[in-house]
Amino acid sequence: MIPGGGQPNMQQLLQQAQKMQQDLAQAQEELAQTEVEGQAGGGLVTATVTGAGELRALKIDPKAVDPEDTETLADLVVAAVQAANENAQTLQQQKLGPLAQGLGGGGIPGLPF
């Protein structure tokens, strides 16, 4: 309902929706191009992911490689990827959160907010 009892201006609402859609597409493109890192083992393993969550790189310091203890290396890799994904989610919230608020606060399907 519009304050004062008037009808909503459909043209204006359509323009606002199109602008929000364009802003959302631009933010998603920026996320796909932006990279964030996560580390484990004091930097022995570093994972790089995009803001959209795509794993781009994994760096393993040779000191982390012990043929007798591959389980620890695997744990470090998992921890680094998880940390990178958490950083990507934070970036998503920063970039897309305000746009989701403009959509009525209902959030964006598929995103954790």
Side-chain angles (χ1 to χ4, degrees):
M1 184 135 227
I2 302 294
Q7 293 293 322
N9 181 332
M10 295 307 281
Q11 183 65 25
Q12 184 180 10
L13 288 174
L14 180 59
Q15 288 173 346
Q16 288 175 343
Q18 288 173 337
K19 169 93 169 83
M20 287 181 0
Q21 187 176 21
Q22 290 170 346
D23 291 347
L24 178 59
Q26 180 179 358
Q28 288 173 328
E29 179 61 29
E30 288 175 18
L31 284 172
Q33 300 302 318
T34 303
E35 293 182 348
V36 294
E37 291 185 346
Q39 297 183 346
L44 290 175
V45 177
T46 301
T48 303
V49 299
T50 66
E54 176 188 350
L55 182 63
R56 288 270 175 97
L58 187 63
K59 296 177 195 168
I60 301 174
D61 188 303
K63 293 181 241 174
V65 181
D66 178 357
E68 302 296 319
D69 186 16
T70 57
E71 287 182 27
T72 298
L73 178 56
D75 289 343
L76 290 173
V77 169
V78 169
V81 171
Q82 286 176 334
N85 280 328
E86 288 172 10
N87 291 337
Q89 286 181 349
T90 299
L91 184 62
Q92 288 174 359
Q93 290 173 345
Q94 291 171 349
K95 290 272 188 191
L96 300 178
L99 294 173
Q101 295 299 322
L103 295 172
I108 299 170
L111 295 178
F113 51 91

